[in-house]
Amino acid sequence: MFRKIILNTGEKKKLYGIRKKTLIAILQAGKDTYPDEFTALLRYNPKTGLINEFLMLPGTISGKRSAQLQLNMMPIDYTVAGSVHSHPSGSCLPSGQDLVFFEHVGAVHIIVCRPYDMNSWACYQFDGEPYPLEVVG
Ligand code: ZN
């Protein structure tokens, strides 16, 4: 089932899932940067509707409290679905700061948290509502 979402370009795109290997790589990146946060962009394939890549931006600041995307380093790329970042705290709920960010960049946002296993992630829409992203093997 495809769900229509509106990206901040105003275009309607279909995005319904994430490749399992991409999710595993993201969870691994969360583990690797622990106790710091990491953040990256999510890219998807408009033909399959699946997130299939994440992209670390040059100049991304990582820290124990926050990881910040350098938006001026953002490529002009309409396959950017949104963002991903990690919460070393163990809560996958978005912070107030996250919600402000979500509104501005992309359509869907994944948060991964400790212990970075297949159950420790969540996906949200730009408005902070949970987004049902399917994991596709
Ligand atoms: Zn956060």
Side-chain angles (χ1 to χ4, degrees):
M1 221 26 77
F2 284 100
R3 294 175 190 87
K4 272 191 181 163
I5 55 163
I6 301 169
L7 296 179
N8 58 359
T9 57
E11 277 181 87
K12 284 192 175 164
K13 300 263 177 165
K14 292 168 181 168
L15 171 63
Y16 79 101
I18 182 167
R19 289 216 176 276
K20 192 176 182 183
K21 64 174 187 179
T22 307
L23 181 60
I24 289 169
I26 287 170
L27 291 163
Q28 188 60 49
K31 245 181 232 172
D32 290 348
T33 47
Y34 181 84
D36 289 339
E37 279 195 19
F38 92 100
T39 184
L41 293 175
L42 297 171
R43 295 176 76 183
Y44 81 114
N45 181 336
K47 285 186 190 141
T48 61
L50 293 173
I51 293 166
N52 58 2
E53 200 183 354
F54 69 105
L55 184 68
M56 309 277 248
L57 294 183
T60 299
I61 302 161
S62 274
K64 282 191 174 57
R65 286 195 179 161
S66 67
Q68 237 181 328
L69 282 176
Q70 300 295 300
L71 293 179
N72 59 341
M73 297 301 283
M74 206 149 127
I76 297 172
D77 181 345
Y78 296 109
T79 62
V80 171
S83 74
V84 56
H85 73 280
S86 66
H87 278 181
S89 65
S91 162
C92 283
L93 291 172
S95 68
Q97 204 185 352
D98 289 342
L99 292 172
V100 172
F101 176 76
F102 289 177
E103 268 188 301
H104 290 95
V105 184
V108 296
H109 302 279
I110 293 176
I111 296 175
V112 297
C113 54
R114 212 158 38 100
Y116 306 107
D117 63 23
M118 290 304 277
N119 296 314
S120 48
W121 65 282
C123 184
Y124 302 94
Q125 299 177 171
F126 63 93
D127 60 3
E129 287 296 308
Y131 187 79
L133 203 62
E134 285 175 37
V135 180
V136 179

